[in-house]
């Protein structure tokens, strides 16, 4: 579903991605972990062209994302992105946050968008928050609205960049539960996370990055018990 081939990227003279290749099969869930500055955010942002790349190729559902001939706005409809900071529209209610893009971009009727939006918010445990403004919602609730907003476009893949890092500890579980449910429903996902328990339990593969490279990729059963690289061993000794 997502294919990343030999991607390289620099900021100024600083190479932050070096020859990164990664295949994400349909319905699989990949955790990207690694130290700060490893290039995790940059990598995930290249998947929907929030960051350009210097060399290499990325395809999502067969569409070459960085090809100049590709209509990137159209391609992005297929890719949901959830950020660390929830980025909800502050002057819109939870439901309006969720229905805006389907109405504006997909020209969905208000009735259809609201029906779907309510279903999504309900499935995320927010059935009593349709009319709440973001400043009246907890961080965990806001992040679940952000997830509903991304899902409202019916994406084929979902990308998460540290979706729980800005949350108070007691709200982490509700957001991880929402992502777990998506995994069970077969959504293809790439999740940058520091939540090792979550990565171990939910993800099919762990991608460990350091210094702009994929140092190691393995199923969690292997990665967390018997990593190959010293970098990964060292990292795990600090975070587990
Ligand atoms: P991670 O998410 O793993 O912490 P990032 O992808 O955010 O890592 O950053 C990787 C490297 O790229 C870091 O050295 C960071 O300082 C640099 N970097 C990220 N974004 C930019 C930018 N917009 N301009 C210049 N350097 C950047
Ligand atoms: Mg990051």
């Amino acid at each position: 579903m997502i294919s990343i081939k030999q991607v390289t990227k620099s900021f100024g003279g600083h190479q932050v991605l070096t020859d990164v290749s990664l295949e994400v099969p349909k319905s699989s869930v990949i955790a990207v972990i690694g130290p700060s500055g490893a290039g995790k955010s940059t990598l995930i942002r290249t998947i929907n062209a929030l960051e350009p790349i210097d060399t290499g190729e990325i395809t999502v559902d067969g569409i070459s994302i960085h090809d100049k001939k590709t209509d990137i706005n159209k391609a992005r409809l297929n890719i949901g992105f959830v950020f660390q900071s929830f980025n909800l529209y502050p002057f819109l209610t939870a439901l309006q946050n969720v229905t805006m893009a389907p109405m504006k971009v997909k020209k969905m009727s208000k009735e259809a968008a609201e029906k779907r939006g309510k279903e999504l918010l309900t499935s995320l445990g927010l059935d009593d928050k349709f009319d709440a403004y973001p400043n009246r919602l907890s961080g965990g609730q806001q992040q679940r609205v952000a997830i509903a907003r991304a899902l409202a476009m019916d994406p084929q893949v979902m990308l998460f960049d540290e979706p729980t890092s800005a949350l108070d500890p007691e709200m982490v579980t509700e957001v991880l539960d929402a992502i777990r449910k998506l995994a069970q429903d077969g959504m293809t996902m790439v999740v940058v996370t520091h939540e090792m328990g979550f990565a171990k339990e939910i993800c099919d593969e762990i991608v460990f990055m350091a210094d702009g490279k994929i140092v190691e990729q393995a199923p969690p059963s292997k990665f967390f018990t018997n990593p190959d690289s010293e970098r990964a061993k060292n990292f795990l000794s600090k975070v587990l």
Side-chain angles (χ1 to χ4, degrees):
M1 180 60 76
I2 304 172
S3 171
I4 300 174
K5 289 204 172 80
Q6 296 180 305
V7 165
T8 296
K9 172 175 183 64
S10 299
F11 284 114
H14 179 200
Q15 191 158 326
V16 295
L17 294 176
T18 303
D19 197 23
V20 172
S21 296
L22 176 64
E23 297 295 322
V24 184
K26 191 170 165 51
S27 296
S28 67
V29 184
I30 306 282
V32 180
I33 69 174
S36 180
K40 306 182 297 296
S41 294
T42 305
L43 176 64
I44 199 171
R45 290 164 63 83
T46 63
I47 298 174
N48 70 345
L50 285 177
E51 294 286 355
I53 58 177
D54 299 335
T55 59
E57 184 177 31
I58 299 177
T59 59
V60 175
D61 199 19
I63 308 288
S64 183
I65 294 295
H66 293 268
D67 187 330
K68 283 185 204 69
K69 293 192 281 285
T70 296
D71 178 349
I72 187 60
N73 291 320
K74 188 160 170 242
R76 277 190 189 134
L77 299 180
N78 228 357
I79 308 172
F81 204 114
V82 175
F83 300 86
Q84 180 176 332
S85 52
F86 332 118
N87 297 338
L88 296 178
Y89 303 108
F91 303 113
L92 298 181
T93 64
L95 184 59
Q96 288 167 339
N97 264 279
V98 174
T99 58
M100 195 179 88
M103 285 163 55
K104 271 194 123 162
V105 183
K106 286 200 159 173
K107 311 292 176 208
M108 209 186 252
S109 72
K110 187 164 189 250
E111 293 68 36
E114 287 190 346
K115 180 165 180 285
R116 174 84 175 122
K118 286 177 181 174
E119 278 168 16
L120 284 167
L121 288 169
T122 300
S123 76
L124 289 158
L126 296 165
D127 50 313
D128 56 344
K129 301 295 180 194
F130 296 162
D131 300 321
Y133 286 88
N135 66 1
R136 291 307 180 90
L137 298 173
S138 72
Q141 291 167 339
Q142 288 184 58
Q143 191 61 304
R144 283 182 283 147
V145 174
I147 292 170
R149 183 176 59 177
L151 291 172
M153 297 298 281
D154 278 325
Q156 294 260 27
V157 311
M158 287 282 285
L159 310 175
F160 295 86
D161 191 0
E162 298 196 26
T164 61
S165 293
L167 298 177
D168 292 334
E170 72 270 22
M171 291 166 190
V172 169
T173 310
E174 67 197 45
V175 171
L176 293 181
D177 283 348
I179 301 173
R180 176 184 294 114
K181 215 162 143 193
L182 288 177
Q184 286 160 355
D185 292 345
M187 180 63 80
T188 307
M189 297 193 278
V190 179
V191 188
V192 177
T193 186
H194 291 297
E195 297 291 333
M196 295 301 140
F198 167 82
K200 205 178 212 167
E201 185 204 344
I202 301 299
C203 298
D204 301 300
E205 290 271 311
I206 307 293
V207 167
F208 174 69
M209 289 185 75
D211 296 332
K213 299 186 189 95
I214 295 180
V215 176
E216 195 163 339
Q217 179 180 351
S221 55
K222 155 105 176 97
F223 182 81
F224 287 107
T225 56
N226 190 22
D228 289 327
S229 65
E230 285 306 314
R231 284 300 298 259
K233 282 177 196 161
N234 188 22
F235 177 77
L236 288 174
S237 74
K238 287 177 188 149
V239 298
L240 287 183

